[in-house]
Amino acid sequence: MTEKEYDTRKAIEELRERFQGLTTALKESSQPPLEATLHFCQEFCQVLVEHAGRWKTDENPLPLLEVYTLAILSFAKATSCLSSECENVPLLLEKLALSCAELLLLLPQHVPGALWEEFQSSMKLAHSLLQESGSTQLCLLSVLAQQDGVWSNTTLSSILSNQIPQTEQVHEYLEMEGPALLNMRIKHLIKVDSVDKAAVLAKMCSEYPGYEGKGNFKQTYLLCICMTKNQEQLMEEVRNKTVCC
């Protein structure tokens, strides 16, 4: 183990202890439930920001994945002691889930097996704990955790390489992922200048009947066409719209 790896392990264990300390203090608190919950959320955010700030997303994303994985599971374990009257609880959970998903989309193609397995098992447990209290904020991460990697799904790979699978297979994949995650994928692809791939995925989503009224996939597809200056595709869309009208 290198010195850098040792420092990361030490930092993660320290974070684990800090989160456990917060949960213990919450359980033993003599404050009214709402006040105790507000205090827990505030302290939780401070600890998370303090530790996450040790690494930069573009330089060391893998330790940050460990931080978010640990944070989400720690928060999920504490939810049974949190007041349902506190609006900060679902907001914090949603923010954690979105931040983690955004980080995952930025990760290199291959995430080390042990780290990915830790993420998978943690999200499975956290999602299960939260479902008991009726929370659905981790649905998006739960979908990702069921796969072998962030971008490794064979149907997704085929779509992005413009080797479109059978319609039934595409629809099955789109139904599994959901519009929120696919929207995030498309935005990420645009951000990293993979506009052609974003256009293909947006087109698939815009043509899926199950997404009617969900997400702005058609507008995003047209935007991608304009960005790539593909006049032929753009004119085809205009003609289709004219025919429909």
Side-chain angles (χ1 to χ4, degrees):
M1 183 184 291
T2 65
E3 185 178 348
K4 191 176 181 180
E5 289 172 334
Y6 174 78
D7 289 342
T8 299
R9 293 269 60 77
K10 187 178 177 182
I12 295 299
E13 287 311 309
E14 183 186 326
L15 179 60
R16 192 187 308 277
E17 289 174 10
R18 294 281 299 275
F19 282 146
Q20 286 175 346
L22 290 178
T23 304
T24 300
L26 173 68
K27 290 177 179 178
E28 297 175 353
S29 176
S30 58
Q31 292 179 303
L34 182 56
E35 286 182 32
T37 299
L38 284 167
H39 181 73
F40 174 84
C41 289
Q42 184 179 12
E43 292 289 308
F44 189 95
C45 286
Q46 288 178 352
V47 170
L48 179 59
V49 170
E50 178 188 326
H51 281 261
R54 298 184 184 191
W55 299 281
K56 292 182 179 179
T57 304
D58 54 345
E59 294 176 6
N60 296 295
L62 295 180
L64 279 172
L65 177 57
E66 288 192 76
V67 168
Y68 277 117
T69 300
L70 177 57
I72 290 167
L73 182 56
S74 298
F75 198 91
K77 286 180 176 178
T79 48
S80 61
C81 304
L82 298 174
S83 170
S84 58
E85 295 176 21
C86 183
E87 295 178 355
N88 290 2
V89 174
L91 289 175
L92 182 49
L93 263 174
E94 187 174 353
K95 180 65 177 174
L96 273 172
L98 287 174
S99 296
C100 186
E102 287 169 356
L103 174 66
L104 284 165
L105 295 176
L106 286 169
L107 290 178
Q109 289 292 328
H110 176 70
V111 177
L115 178 54
W116 186 252
E117 287 170 13
E118 176 69 21
F119 169 75
Q120 287 180 306
S121 60
S122 296
M123 290 309 108
K124 185 178 180 180
L125 176 56
H127 186 51
S128 175
L129 288 169
L130 290 170
Q131 278 188 313
E132 290 175 10
S133 59
S135 298
T136 58
Q137 283 85 358
L138 291 191
C139 287
L140 190 143
L141 290 179
S142 178
V143 170
L144 276 174
Q146 292 170 36
Q147 303 179 39
D148 295 328
V150 185
W151 296 95
S152 62
N153 183 282
T154 52
T155 304
L156 174 63
S157 298
S158 297
I159 292 171
L160 296 181
S161 59
N162 217 6
Q163 298 171 344
I164 311 302
Q166 292 183 344
T167 302
E168 186 180 339
Q169 189 179 340
V170 172
H171 286 184
E172 193 176 295
Y173 167 72
L174 297 179
E175 185 62 36
M176 177 192 74
E177 284 255 311
L181 180 54
L182 285 161
N183 247 323
M184 292 182 74
R185 287 193 186 278
I186 293 165
K187 286 177 182 177
H188 170 76
L189 290 168
I190 294 172
K191 189 177 180 180
V192 297
D193 294 326
S194 295
V195 183
D196 287 340
K197 292 180 178 180
V200 175
L201 188 55
K203 189 173 190 291
M204 290 293 101
C205 293
S206 70
E207 293 173 349
Y208 176 47
Y211 285 173
E212 192 172 347
K214 299 176 183 177
N216 298 314
F217 294 114
K218 188 68 174 181
Q219 292 92 321
T220 304
Y221 171 55
L222 294 174
L223 174 65
C224 290
I225 293 174
C226 292
M227 289 173 74
T228 56
K229 298 180 181 176
N230 193 323
Q231 296 299 322
E232 188 179 328
Q233 278 183 296
L234 191 57
M235 289 308 295
E236 184 184 338
E237 287 300 319
V238 171
R239 281 195 298 270
N240 288 343
K241 193 160 188 177
T242 304
V243 171
C244 289
C245 294

mmCIF file with all atom_site columns, all heavy atoms in Angstrom, residues 10-31:
data_model
loop_
_atom_site.group_PDB
_atom_site.id
_atom_site.type_symbol
_atom_site.label_atom_id
_atom_site.label_alt_id
_atom_site.label_comp_id
_atom_site.label_asym_id
_atom_site.label_entity_id
_atom_site.label_seq_id
_atom_site.pdbx_PDB_ins_code
_atom_site.Cartn_x
_atom_site.Cartn_y
_atom_site.Cartn_z
_atom_site.occupancy
_atom_site.B_iso_or_equiv
_atom_site.pdbx_formal_charge
_atom_site.auth_seq_id
_atom_site.auth_comp_id
_atom_site.auth_asym_id
_atom_site.auth_atom_id
_atom_site.pdbx_PDB_model_num
ATOM 1   N N   . LYS A 1 10 ? -7.051  5.908  5.942  1.00 0.00 ? 10 LYS A N   1
ATOM 2   C CA  . LYS A 1 10 ? -7.120  6.532  7.261  1.00 0.00 ? 10 LYS A CA  1
ATOM 3   C C   . LYS A 1 10 ? -8.228  7.586  7.298  1.00 0.00 ? 10 LYS A C   1
ATOM 4   O O   . LYS A 1 10 ? -8.993  7.670  8.267  1.00 0.00 ? 10 LYS A O   1
ATOM 5   C CB  . LYS A 1 10 ? -5.766  7.175  7.582  1.00 0.00 ? 10 LYS A CB  1
ATOM 6   C CG  . LYS A 1 10 ? -5.644  7.716  9.005  1.00 0.00 ? 10 LYS A CG  1
ATOM 7   C CD  . LYS A 1 10 ? -4.253  8.283  9.243  1.00 0.00 ? 10 LYS A CD  1
ATOM 8   C CE  . LYS A 1 10 ? -4.161  8.887  10.646 1.00 0.00 ? 10 LYS A CE  1
ATOM 9   N NZ  . LYS A 1 10 ? -2.823  9.495  10.885 1.00 0.00 ? 10 LYS A NZ  1
ATOM 10  N N   . ALA A 1 11 ? -8.327  8.385  6.225  1.00 0.00 ? 11 ALA A N   1
ATOM 11  C CA  . ALA A 1 11 ? -9.346  9.432  6.139  1.00 0.00 ? 11 ALA A CA  1
ATOM 12  C C   . ALA A 1 11 ? -10.760 8.853  6.091  1.00 0.00 ? 11 ALA A C   1
ATOM 13  O O   . ALA A 1 11 ? -11.682 9.379  6.726  1.00 0.00 ? 11 ALA A O   1
ATOM 14  C CB  . ALA A 1 11 ? -9.096  10.302 4.908  1.00 0.00 ? 11 ALA A CB  1
ATOM 15  N N   . ILE A 1 12 ? -10.932 7.756  5.350  1.00 0.00 ? 12 ILE A N   1
ATOM 16  C CA  . ILE A 1 12 ? -12.252 7.113  5.239  1.00 0.00 ? 12 ILE A CA  1
ATOM 17  C C   . ILE A 1 12 ? -12.678 6.530  6.584  1.00 0.00 ? 12 ILE A C   1
ATOM 18  O O   . ILE A 1 12 ? -13.848 6.651  6.994  1.00 0.00 ? 12 ILE A O   1
ATOM 19  C CB  . ILE A 1 12 ? -12.244 6.022  4.146  1.00 0.00 ? 12 ILE A CB  1
ATOM 20  C CG1 . ILE A 1 12 ? -12.013 6.631  2.753  1.00 0.00 ? 12 ILE A CG1 1
ATOM 21  C CG2 . ILE A 1 12 ? -13.560 5.231  4.165  1.00 0.00 ? 12 ILE A CG2 1
ATOM 22  C CD1 . ILE A 1 12 ? -13.072 7.615  2.297  1.00 0.00 ? 12 ILE A CD1 1
ATOM 23  N N   . GLU A 1 13 ? -11.751 5.904  7.293  1.00 0.00 ? 13 GLU A N   1
ATOM 24  C CA  . GLU A 1 13 ? -12.069 5.335  8.610  1.00 0.00 ? 13 GLU A CA  1
ATOM 25  C C   . GLU A 1 13 ? -12.402 6.427  9.609  1.00 0.00 ? 13 GLU A C   1
ATOM 26  O O   . GLU A 1 13 ? -13.287 6.267  10.460 1.00 0.00 ? 13 GLU A O   1
ATOM 27  C CB  . GLU A 1 13 ? -10.901 4.475  9.115  1.00 0.00 ? 13 GLU A CB  1
ATOM 28  C CG  . GLU A 1 13 ? -10.759 3.143  8.389  1.00 0.00 ? 13 GLU A CG  1
ATOM 29  C CD  . GLU A 1 13 ? -12.072 2.377  8.302  1.00 0.00 ? 13 GLU A CD  1
ATOM 30  O OE1 . GLU A 1 13 ? -12.735 2.201  9.358  1.00 0.00 ? 13 GLU A OE1 1
ATOM 31  O OE2 . GLU A 1 13 ? -12.467 1.974  7.189  1.00 0.00 ? 13 GLU A OE2 1
ATOM 32  N N   . GLU A 1 14 ? -11.692 7.543  9.500  1.00 0.00 ? 14 GLU A N   1
ATOM 33  C CA  . GLU A 1 14 ? -11.970 8.688  10.376 1.00 0.00 ? 14 GLU A CA  1
ATOM 34  C C   . GLU A 1 14 ? -13.376 9.222  10.098 1.00 0.00 ? 14 GLU A C   1
ATOM 35  O O   . GLU A 1 14 ? -14.122 9.554  11.027 1.00 0.00 ? 14 GLU A O   1
ATOM 36  C CB  . GLU A 1 14 ? -10.930 9.789  10.121 1.00 0.00 ? 14 GLU A CB  1
ATOM 37  C CG  . GLU A 1 14 ? -11.089 10.996 11.025 1.00 0.00 ? 14 GLU A CG  1
ATOM 38  C CD  . GLU A 1 14 ? -10.136 12.122 10.655 1.00 0.00 ? 14 GLU A CD  1
ATOM 39  O OE1 . GLU A 1 14 ? -9.003  11.827 10.206 1.00 0.00 ? 14 GLU A OE1 1
ATOM 40  O OE2 . GLU A 1 14 ? -10.536 13.297 10.803 1.00 0.00 ? 14 GLU A OE2 1
ATOM 41  N N   . LEU A 1 15 ? -13.735 9.278  8.815  1.00 0.00 ? 15 LEU A N   1
ATOM 42  C CA  . LEU A 1 15 ? -15.070 9.732  8.428  1.00 0.00 ? 15 LEU A CA  1
ATOM 43  C C   . LEU A 1 15 ? -16.133 8.775  8.955  1.00 0.00 ? 15 LEU A C   1
ATOM 44  O O   . LEU A 1 15 ? -17.179 9.211  9.455  1.00 0.00 ? 15 LEU A O   1
ATOM 45  C CB  . LEU A 1 15 ? -15.167 9.834  6.901  1.00 0.00 ? 15 LEU A CB  1
ATOM 46  C CG  . LEU A 1 15 ? -16.512 10.272 6.313  1.00 0.00 ? 15 LEU A CG  1
ATOM 47  C CD1 . LEU A 1 15 ? -16.904 11.661 6.807  1.00 0.00 ? 15 LEU A CD1 1
ATOM 48  C CD2 . LEU A 1 15 ? -16.457 10.271 4.786  1.00 0.00 ? 15 LEU A CD2 1
ATOM 49  N N   . ARG A 1 16 ? -15.873 7.483  8.854  1.00 0.00 ? 16 ARG A N   1
ATOM 50  C CA  . ARG A 1 16 ? -16.812 6.476  9.348  1.00 0.00 ? 16 ARG A CA  1
ATOM 51  C C   . ARG A 1 16 ? -17.073 6.682  10.842 1.00 0.00 ? 16 ARG A C   1
ATOM 52  O O   . ARG A 1 16 ? -18.217 6.640  11.309 1.00 0.00 ? 16 ARG A O   1
ATOM 53  C CB  . ARG A 1 16 ? -16.244 5.066  9.105  1.00 0.00 ? 16 ARG A CB  1
ATOM 54  C CG  . ARG A 1 16 ? -17.261 3.939  9.322  1.00 0.00 ? 16 ARG A CG  1
ATOM 55  C CD  . ARG A 1 16 ? -16.581 2.572  9.222  1.00 0.00 ? 16 ARG A CD  1
ATOM 56  N NE  . ARG A 1 16 ? -15.815 2.443  7.997  1.00 0.00 ? 16 ARG A NE  1
ATOM 57  C CZ  . ARG A 1 16 ? -16.333 2.093  6.821  1.00 0.00 ? 16 ARG A CZ  1
ATOM 58  N NH1 . ARG A 1 16 ? -17.628 1.831  6.731  1.00 0.00 ? 16 ARG A NH1 1
ATOM 59  N NH2 . ARG A 1 16 ? -15.562 1.981  5.758  1.00 0.00 ? 16 ARG A NH2 1
ATOM 60  N N   . GLU A 1 17 ? -16.012 6.939  11.596 1.00 0.00 ? 17 GLU A N   1
ATOM 61  C CA  . GLU A 1 17 ? -16.128 7.160  13.044 1.00 0.00 ? 17 GLU A CA  1
ATOM 62  C C   . GLU A 1 17 ? -16.902 8.434  13.354 1.00 0.00 ? 17 GLU A C   1
ATOM 63  O O   . GLU A 1 17 ? -17.709 8.472  14.296 1.00 0.00 ? 17 GLU A O   1
ATOM 64  C CB  . GLU A 1 17 ? -14.733 7.218  13.674 1.00 0.00 ? 17 GLU A CB  1
ATOM 65  C CG  . GLU A 1 17 ? -14.028 5.872  13.709 1.00 0.00 ? 17 GLU A CG  1
ATOM 66  C CD  . GLU A 1 17 ? -12.585 5.972  14.199 1.00 0.00 ? 17 GLU A CD  1
ATOM 67  O OE1 . GLU A 1 17 ? -12.205 7.060  14.698 1.00 0.00 ? 17 GLU A OE1 1
ATOM 68  O OE2 . GLU A 1 17 ? -11.846 4.978  14.091 1.00 0.00 ? 17 GLU A OE2 1
ATOM 69  N N   . ARG A 1 18 ? -16.670 9.475  12.526 1.00 0.00 ? 18 ARG A N   1
ATOM 70  C CA  . ARG A 1 18 ? -17.385 10.738 12.739 1.00 0.00 ? 18 ARG A CA  1
ATOM 71  C C   . ARG A 1 18 ? -18.888 10.548 12.526 1.00 0.00 ? 18 ARG A C   1
ATOM 72  O O   . ARG A 1 18 ? -19.706 11.034 13.308 1.00 0.00 ? 18 ARG A O   1
ATOM 73  C CB  . ARG A 1 18 ? -16.857 11.816 11.769 1.00 0.00 ? 18 ARG A CB  1
ATOM 74  C CG  . ARG A 1 18 ? -15.419 12.260 11.973 1.00 0.00 ? 18 ARG A CG  1
ATOM 75  C CD  . ARG A 1 18 ? -15.249 13.245 13.107 1.00 0.00 ? 18 ARG A CD  1
ATOM 76  N NE  . ARG A 1 18 ? -15.974 14.487 12.946 1.00 0.00 ? 18 ARG A NE  1
ATOM 77  C CZ  . ARG A 1 18 ? -15.523 15.548 12.274 1.00 0.00 ? 18 ARG A CZ  1
ATOM 78  N NH1 . ARG A 1 18 ? -14.355 15.500 11.652 1.00 0.00 ? 18 ARG A NH1 1
ATOM 79  N NH2 . ARG A 1 18 ? -16.232 16.667 12.216 1.00 0.00 ? 18 ARG A NH2 1
ATOM 80  N N   . PHE A 1 19 ? -19.244 9.838  11.463 1.00 0.00 ? 19 PHE A N   1
ATOM 81  C CA  . PHE A 1 19 ? -20.658 9.586  11.175 1.00 0.00 ? 19 PHE A CA  1
ATOM 82  C C   . PHE A 1 19 ? -21.294 8.716  12.278 1.00 0.00 ? 19 PHE A C   1
ATOM 83  O O   . PHE A 1 19 ? -22.433 8.969  12.694 1.00 0.00 ? 19 PHE A O   1
ATOM 84  C CB  . PHE A 1 19 ? -20.814 8.900  9.817  1.00 0.00 ? 19 PHE A CB  1
ATOM 85  C CG  . PHE A 1 19 ? -20.697 9.822  8.637  1.00 0.00 ? 19 PHE A CG  1
ATOM 86  C CD1 . PHE A 1 19 ? -20.135 9.375  7.448  1.00 0.00 ? 19 PHE A CD1 1
ATOM 87  C CD2 . PHE A 1 19 ? -21.161 11.130 8.700  1.00 0.00 ? 19 PHE A CD2 1
ATOM 88  C CE1 . PHE A 1 19 ? -20.020 10.225 6.346  1.00 0.00 ? 19 PHE A CE1 1
ATOM 89  C CE2 . PHE A 1 19 ? -21.054 11.987 7.606  1.00 0.00 ? 19 PHE A CE2 1
ATOM 90  C CZ  . PHE A 1 19 ? -20.479 11.535 6.426  1.00 0.00 ? 19 PHE A CZ  1
ATOM 91  N N   . GLN A 1 20 ? -20.566 7.713  12.740 1.00 0.00 ? 20 GLN A N   1
ATOM 92  C CA  . GLN A 1 20 ? -21.074 6.857  13.818 1.00 0.00 ? 20 GLN A CA  1
ATOM 93  C C   . GLN A 1 20 ? -21.289 7.660  15.092 1.00 0.00 ? 20 GLN A C   1
ATOM 94  O O   . GLN A 1 20 ? -22.268 7.457  15.815 1.00 0.00 ? 20 GLN A O   1
ATOM 95  C CB  . GLN A 1 20 ? -20.096 5.707  14.065 1.00 0.00 ? 20 GLN A CB  1
ATOM 96  C CG  . GLN A 1 20 ? -20.127 4.641  12.976 1.00 0.00 ? 20 GLN A CG  1
ATOM 97  C CD  . GLN A 1 20 ? -19.065 3.569  13.163 1.00 0.00 ? 20 GLN A CD  1
ATOM 98  O OE1 . GLN A 1 20 ? -18.125 3.729  13.954 1.00 0.00 ? 20 GLN A OE1 1
ATOM 99  N NE2 . GLN A 1 20 ? -19.187 2.483  12.411 1.00 0.00 ? 20 GLN A NE2 1
ATOM 100 N N   . GLY A 1 21 ? -20.374 8.604  15.339 1.00 0.00 ? 21 GLY A N   1
ATOM 101 C CA  . GLY A 1 21 ? -20.497 9.477  16.509 1.00 0.00 ? 21 GLY A CA  1
ATOM 102 C C   . GLY A 1 21 ? -21.739 10.351 16.433 1.00 0.00 ? 21 GLY A C   1
ATOM 103 O O   . GLY A 1 21 ? -22.444 10.537 17.434 1.00 0.00 ? 21 GLY A O   1
ATOM 104 N N   . LEU A 1 22 ? -22.027 10.862 15.243 1.00 0.00 ? 22 LEU A N   1
ATOM 105 C CA  . LEU A 1 22 ? -23.217 11.693 15.044 1.00 0.00 ? 22 LEU A CA  1
ATOM 106 C C   . LEU A 1 22 ? -24.497 10.893 15.266 1.00 0.00 ? 22 LEU A C   1
ATOM 107 O O   . LEU A 1 22 ? -25.456 11.375 15.879 1.00 0.00 ? 22 LEU A O   1
ATOM 108 C CB  . LEU A 1 22 ? -23.228 12.281 13.624 1.00 0.00 ? 22 LEU A CB  1
ATOM 109 C CG  . LEU A 1 22 ? -22.199 13.364 13.292 1.00 0.00 ? 22 LEU A CG  1
ATOM 110 C CD1 . LEU A 1 22 ? -22.320 13.784 11.836 1.00 0.00 ? 22 LEU A CD1 1
ATOM 111 C CD2 . LEU A 1 22 ? -22.357 14.571 14.205 1.00 0.00 ? 22 LEU A CD2 1
ATOM 112 N N   . THR A 1 23 ? -24.499 9.648  14.769 1.00 0.00 ? 23 THR A N   1
ATOM 113 C CA  . THR A 1 23 ? -25.682 8.792  14.925 1.00 0.00 ? 23 THR A CA  1
ATOM 114 C C   . THR A 1 23 ? -25.900 8.427  16.389 1.00 0.00 ? 23 THR A C   1
ATOM 115 O O   . THR A 1 23 ? -27.041 8.427  16.881 1.00 0.00 ? 23 THR A O   1
ATOM 116 C CB  . THR A 1 23 ? -25.528 7.509  14.085 1.00 0.00 ? 23 THR A CB  1
ATOM 117 O OG1 . THR A 1 23 ? -25.296 7.872  12.721 1.00 0.00 ? 23 THR A OG1 1
ATOM 118 C CG2 . THR A 1 23 ? -26.782 6.653  14.153 1.00 0.00 ? 23 THR A CG2 1
ATOM 119 N N   . THR A 1 24 ? -24.811 8.143  17.095 1.00 0.00 ? 24 THR A N   1
ATOM 120 C CA  . THR A 1 24 ? -24.905 7.824  18.525 1.00 0.00 ? 24 THR A CA  1
ATOM 121 C C   . THR A 1 24 ? -25.448 9.019  19.306 1.00 0.00 ? 24 THR A C   1
ATOM 122 O O   . THR A 1 24 ? -26.323 8.874  20.169 1.00 0.00 ? 24 THR A O   1
ATOM 123 C CB  . THR A 1 24 ? -23.514 7.434  19.077 1.00 0.00 ? 24 THR A CB  1
ATOM 124 O OG1 . THR A 1 24 ? -23.039 6.293  18.367 1.00 0.00 ? 24 THR A OG1 1
ATOM 125 C CG2 . THR A 1 24 ? -23.594 7.109  20.562 1.00 0.00 ? 24 THR A CG2 1
ATOM 126 N N   . ALA A 1 25 ? -24.931 10.209 18.988 1.00 0.00 ? 25 ALA A N   1
ATOM 127 C CA  . ALA A 1 25 ? -25.388 11.428 19.657 1.00 0.00 ? 25 ALA A CA  1
ATOM 128 C C   . ALA A 1 25 ? -26.869 11.684 19.379 1.00 0.00 ? 25 ALA A C   1
ATOM 129 O O   . ALA A 1 25 ? -27.615 12.141 20.259 1.00 0.00 ? 25 ALA A O   1
ATOM 130 C CB  . ALA A 1 25 ? -24.551 12.618 19.188 1.00 0.00 ? 25 ALA A CB  1
ATOM 131 N N   . LEU A 1 26 ? -27.301 11.378 18.157 1.00 0.00 ? 26 LEU A N   1
ATOM 132 C CA  . LEU A 1 26 ? -28.711 11.540 17.787 1.00 0.00 ? 26 LEU A CA  1
ATOM 133 C C   . LEU A 1 26 ? -29.592 10.619 18.621 1.00 0.00 ? 26 LEU A C   1
ATOM 134 O O   . LEU A 1 26 ? -30.628 11.045 19.147 1.00 0.00 ? 26 LEU A O   1
ATOM 135 C CB  . LEU A 1 26 ? -28.897 11.230 16.297 1.00 0.00 ? 26 LEU A CB  1
ATOM 136 C CG  . LEU A 1 26 ? -30.332 11.177 15.765 1.00 0.00 ? 26 LEU A CG  1
ATOM 137 C CD1 . LEU A 1 26 ? -30.965 12.568 15.787 1.00 0.00 ? 26 LEU A CD1 1
ATOM 138 C CD2 . LEU A 1 26 ? -30.352 10.619 14.342 1.00 0.00 ? 26 LEU A CD2 1
ATOM 139 N N   . LYS A 1 27 ? -29.184 9.366  18.740 1.00 0.00 ? 27 LYS A N   1
ATOM 140 C CA  . LYS A 1 27 ? -29.968 8.384  19.496 1.00 0.00 ? 27 LYS A CA  1
ATOM 141 C C   . LYS A 1 27 ? -30.049 8.725  20.978 1.00 0.00 ? 27 LYS A C   1
ATOM 142 O O   . LYS A 1 27 ? -31.057 8.461  21.647 1.00 0.00 ? 27 LYS A O   1
ATOM 143 C CB  . LYS A 1 27 ? -29.355 6.990  19.323 1.00 0.00 ? 27 LYS A CB  1
ATOM 144 C CG  . LYS A 1 27 ? -29.518 6.417  17.921 1.00 0.00 ? 27 LYS A CG  1
ATOM 145 C CD  . LYS A 1 27 ? -28.834 5.066  17.801 1.00 0.00 ? 27 LYS A CD  1
ATOM 146 C CE  . LYS A 1 27 ? -29.020 4.485  16.394 1.00 0.00 ? 27 LYS A CE  1
ATOM 147 N NZ  . LYS A 1 27 ? -28.304 3.190  16.253 1.00 0.00 ? 27 LYS A NZ  1
ATOM 148 N N   . GLU A 1 28 ? -28.983 9.342  21.502 1.00 0.00 ? 28 GLU A N   1
ATOM 149 C CA  . GLU A 1 28 ? -28.917 9.643  22.935 1.00 0.00 ? 28 GLU A CA  1
ATOM 150 C C   . GLU A 1 28 ? -29.371 11.058 23.262 1.00 0.00 ? 28 GLU A C   1
ATOM 151 O O   . GLU A 1 28 ? -29.366 11.462 24.425 1.00 0.00 ? 28 GLU A O   1
ATOM 152 C CB  . GLU A 1 28 ? -27.480 9.437  23.432 1.00 0.00 ? 28 GLU A CB  1
ATOM 153 C CG  . GLU A 1 28 ? -27.011 7.990  23.303 1.00 0.00 ? 28 GLU A CG  1
ATOM 154 C CD  . GLU A 1 28 ? -25.540 7.819  23.678 1.00 0.00 ? 28 GLU A CD  1
ATOM 155 O OE1 . GLU A 1 28 ? -24.860 8.855  23.902 1.00 0.00 ? 28 GLU A OE1 1
ATOM 156 O OE2 . GLU A 1 28 ? -25.075 6.666  23.758 1.00 0.00 ? 28 GLU A OE2 1
ATOM 157 N N   . SER A 1 29 ? -29.762 11.825 22.235 1.00 0.00 ? 29 SER A N   1
ATOM 158 C CA  . SER A 1 29 ? -30.129 13.227 22.429 1.00 0.00 ? 29 SER A CA  1
ATOM 159 C C   . SER A 1 29 ? -31.379 13.382 23.291 1.00 0.00 ? 29 SER A C   1
ATOM 160 O O   . SER A 1 29 ? -32.344 12.631 23.170 1.00 0.00 ? 29 SER A O   1
ATOM 161 C CB  . SER A 1 29 ? -30.367 13.900 21.073 1.00 0.00 ? 29 SER A CB  1
ATOM 162 O OG  . SER A 1 29 ? -30.800 15.227 21.251 1.00 0.00 ? 29 SER A OG  1
ATOM 163 N N   . SER A 1 30 ? -31.344 14.395 24.142 1.00 0.00 ? 30 SER A N   1
ATOM 164 C CA  . SER A 1 30 ? -32.504 14.702 24.995 1.00 0.00 ? 30 SER A CA  1
ATOM 165 C C   . SER A 1 30 ? -33.345 15.825 24.390 1.00 0.00 ? 30 SER A C   1
ATOM 166 O O   . SER A 1 30 ? -34.354 16.229 24.957 1.00 0.00 ? 30 SER A O   1
ATOM 167 C CB  . SER A 1 30 ? -32.018 15.118 26.391 1.00 0.00 ? 30 SER A CB  1
ATOM 168 O OG  . SER A 1 30 ? -31.143 16.240 26.295 1.00 0.00 ? 30 SER A OG  1
ATOM 169 N N   . GLN A 1 31 ? -32.904 16.313 23.211 1.00 0.00 ? 31 GLN A N   1
ATOM 170 C CA  . GLN A 1 31 ? -33.651 17.375 22.521 1.00 0.00 ? 31 GLN A CA  1
ATOM 171 C C   . GLN A 1 31 ? -34.948 16.817 21.924 1.00 0.00 ? 31 GLN A C   1
ATOM 172 O O   . GLN A 1 31 ? -35.041 15.609 21.676 1.00 0.00 ? 31 GLN A O   1
ATOM 173 C CB  . GLN A 1 31 ? -32.804 17.970 21.386 1.00 0.00 ? 31 GLN A CB  1
ATOM 174 C CG  . GLN A 1 31 ? -31.592 18.765 21.822 1.00 0.00 ? 31 GLN A CG  1
ATOM 175 C CD  . GLN A 1 31 ? -30.829 19.288 20.605 1.00 0.00 ? 31 GLN A CD  1
ATOM 176 O OE1 . GLN A 1 31 ? -30.401 18.527 19.739 1.00 0.00 ? 31 GLN A OE1 1
ATOM 177 N NE2 . GLN A 1 31 ? -30.677 20.607 20.539 1.00 0.00 ? 31 GLN A NE2 1
#
